[in-house]
Amino acid sequence: MSEPSTTALPADRTRRSAVRIDDRMLSIGTVLLLGLLPIWIGSFWLYSISLLLAQGIAILSVSFLIRYSGEVSIGHNFFVATGAYTIALLQNGPNVPFLGGVVVATAVSAAVGLLFAWPSRTLSGVYLSVVTLALGLCVPEVLLYWSEVTGGFEGLFVESRIVGGVASGLQQYYVALAALCIATFVAHRFRGSRLGLMILTARDHPHAAAAFGMTSGSARLSAFAVSAAIAGFGGSILGFTTSMVSPNSFIFWNSVTLLVGAVVSLYSTRIYGVVVGAAFVTLVPQLLSNYGQFILIIYGLALLGVIIVFNVTVPAIVRRVRRRRNHRV
Amino acid sequence: MLPVIWQGIVTGCLYSLGALGLVMIFKSSKMVNFAHGALAGYGAFSVHALTAGGAGWPWLAAVAAALLGAIAISVLVYGLIAELLQRAATTATIATLGIGLIAQGMILWQYGSNIFRLDLPLPHLSFSILGMALTAYDVAVLSATFLVVVALFLVIERTRLGVAFRAVSTDPFAARVCGLSISRVHLFSWVTSSMLGVIAALLIVPTTFLSSTTVTTFMLQAFAAAVIGGFDSLPGSAIGGILVGVSCNLFSFYVAPELLNTFLLTFMLASLSFFPGGILSQRLGSRV
């Protein structure tokens, strides 16, 4: 996990192909299972899982950032809120249709992300991480201060039907599922894209990348903008599935939740990994709703435990097994 | 306006103390400790529990116990993180967030979400200079900050440990080649930082009240101070703290107190644009 399998160098084909089929099967299986799920579950769980899928997109954006730039963000609720409020404002004001709203929300979030990361382009990533803390904290107060635009505490209503005749619960579910598929597909294929390869080169071989015009500063800016775009996309879908946006859904705590989800999913860009991470952060609070204070401890232990197990324990075991095998030979 | 600035300077001193702790850790181990606020808050809560909250210890004994506890916890935390640090600072940073969550959860579990008062044992004095009220609290904060900064300066400038700390923060590889124990220097910075955190927490709490989030929110200003002063400069962060204190006070007095976090965000972004690397950094070459 500390060294994500994404690297700019061509992978070892023979070893990878076997793994890749496995991964693809798992992804397709997850999508099929999620697609058929509404047959068996009631409306409460349908709603919860729609939220989970929309949340998954936001988690994916945090994983993406950690993977491609090695930066931790605890302010991604800002970009999720940007996406959600953009689509809500577009629907309530000029009455833009849903798909158009999603596109604009994604673009606006990317632009805001770029603008936010701009001052730290020549600095070490530490500054960016710390400033995201303030970014995450300022969301509710900004939304409440300009309440004549944002609707204040009550928030804004978002239309949750695209086509007539189908129950809105099902529409929300399938839109969220389709959006998560698109987001994971894009995030996964990003690795082989021109921009993705350049960002990864800038991470692994900064000087070589700089010679091709990609300094580590511009790599960080690009990774941050793409991540913010994914978060804004997730935000617009989240607004659609909850059919309303209000400051309460974008408090700082949500960023922490996103980070916990990203770590639990092992920064996965695959749909099954993202779903596992999202399921952890949505189901734990639901199952433990009577023990509010333990949620913090459980999240903390999850962060610490997953990180220590996958960075310290697993490598140690691998090393020991390898040593023993060499010994025998 | 003068009293507002003066109050800003007093609270700014506390932000400096918080920021100094963050910078100590960053200088030696190149990572940000997001658990700083929560752990300091835990220290303040244990002082409360040991004095007014039931045990009835004398204040000084409680503070000493809290400082010892903070040292023990920071050693434990460093022990958990040490191996992560050798791999990537990012994972270590996320791990500190986890530790912060655990500390916050422990506070909520043990003390609930109640609000407590935790005052310093000071006489009620106040004098007036140039139309400003100067209370015993202000004097205590200023003198405590002064003492701590002088002590820190002496340790870093004069002792062998301080020399080792400077060597590790300048060039960890060369320091290791010279036979310095990196982990001992790291431990020194973590322990010092946790003590600075507890002292800052104890001094900030009398201005408001003690709740599970007081100290963590206070630490945002400390983070801002460290960003503005430069994460690799101790004097810079001390000055940054006072700048943040004064400007925050002016902003919330004259503009809008409910937008304080937004103000801090813009202040940090502006400062990064105009003084990348902190207000005291000489612009020497690239810092990539």
Side-chain angles (χ1 to χ4, degrees), chain A residues 24-106:
Chain A
R24 198 179 285 168
M25 297 297 261
L26 258 175
S27 300
I28 293 172
T30 314
V31 174
L32 279 179
L33 188 70
L34 286 172
L36 295 176
L37 208 54
I39 301 174
W40 301 295
I41 54 176
S43 61
F44 171 73
W45 281 105
L46 192 68
Y47 179 70
S48 299
I49 296 176
S50 324
L51 281 189
L52 185 157
L53 296 175
Q55 183 90 332
I57 306 175
I59 287 176
L60 177 69
S61 71
V62 177
S63 304
F64 182 92
L65 187 68
I66 298 176
R67 237 170 209 261
Y68 281 90
S69 74
E71 247 48 277
V72 194
S73 164
I74 42 176
H76 259 53
N77 58 335
F78 186 92
F79 302 109
V80 178
T82 308
Y85 270 88
T86 308
I87 196 166
L89 288 173
L90 283 177
Q91 279 190 359
N92 290 335
N95 206 5
V96 178
F98 173 71
L99 277 180
V102 170
V103 172
V104 175
T106 311

Side-chain angles (χ1 to χ4, degrees), chain A residues 53-68 76 78-84 102-103 105-111 113 179-190 222-238 258 268-269 274:
Chain A
L53 296 175
Q55 183 90 332
I57 306 175
I59 287 176
L60 177 69
S61 71
V62 177
S63 304
F64 182 92
L65 187 68
I66 298 176
R67 237 170 209 261
Y68 281 90
H76 259 53
F78 186 92
F79 302 109
V80 178
T82 308
V102 170
V103 172
T106 311
V108 168
S109 304
L180 181 61
C181 290
I182 295 170
T184 43
F185 183 75
V186 168
H188 181 65
R189 299 292 291 194
F190 184 77
S222 333
F224 203 88
V226 176
S227 164
I230 299 175
F233 178 64
S236 60
I237 301 298
L238 196 67
L258 294 183
S268 172
T269 54
V274 174

Side-chain angles (χ1 to χ4, degrees), chain B residues 101-112:
Chain B
L101 286 178
I102 295 174
Q104 191 102 16
M106 294 291 280
I107 293 176
L108 269 178
W109 184 23
Q110 292 184 349
Y111 305 99

Side-chain angles (χ1 to χ4, degrees), chain A residues 24 38 45 81 93 103 147 164 171 198 206 232 321-322 328:
Chain A
R24 198 179 285 168
W45 281 105
V103 172
S147 52
Q171 288 194 31
M198 284 184 94
V321 169
R322 222 172 257 164
R328 212 174 285 155

Side-chain angles (χ1 to χ4, degrees), chain A residues 2 70 72 119 122-123 126-127 130 133-134 137-138 141-142 145 216 259 267 294 296 300 303-304 307 311-312 315, chain B residues 26 32 83-84 87 90 94-95 97-98 102 108-109 220 223 227 231 258-262 268 272-273 277 287-288:
Chain A
S2 67
V72 194
T122 56
L123 297 163
V126 180
Y127 290 93
V130 171
L133 177 68
L137 284 167
C138 79
E141 56 179 46
V142 168
Y145 191 76
S216 38
L259 184 68
Y267 316 136
F294 291 116
L296 281 167
L303 275 184
L304 200 61
I307 281 184
N311 287 288
V312 180
Chain B
F26 182 77
V32 188
E83 198 151 345
L84 295 171
R87 298 167 161 270
T90 311
I94 300 178
L97 267 167
I102 295 174
L108 269 178
W109 184 23
L220 173 67
F223 273 110
V227 166
F231 249 101
E258 63 270 28
L259 278 182
L260 197 59
N261 288 334
T262 319
M268 277 196 256
L272 285 182
S273 309
R287 286 169 170 271
V288 180

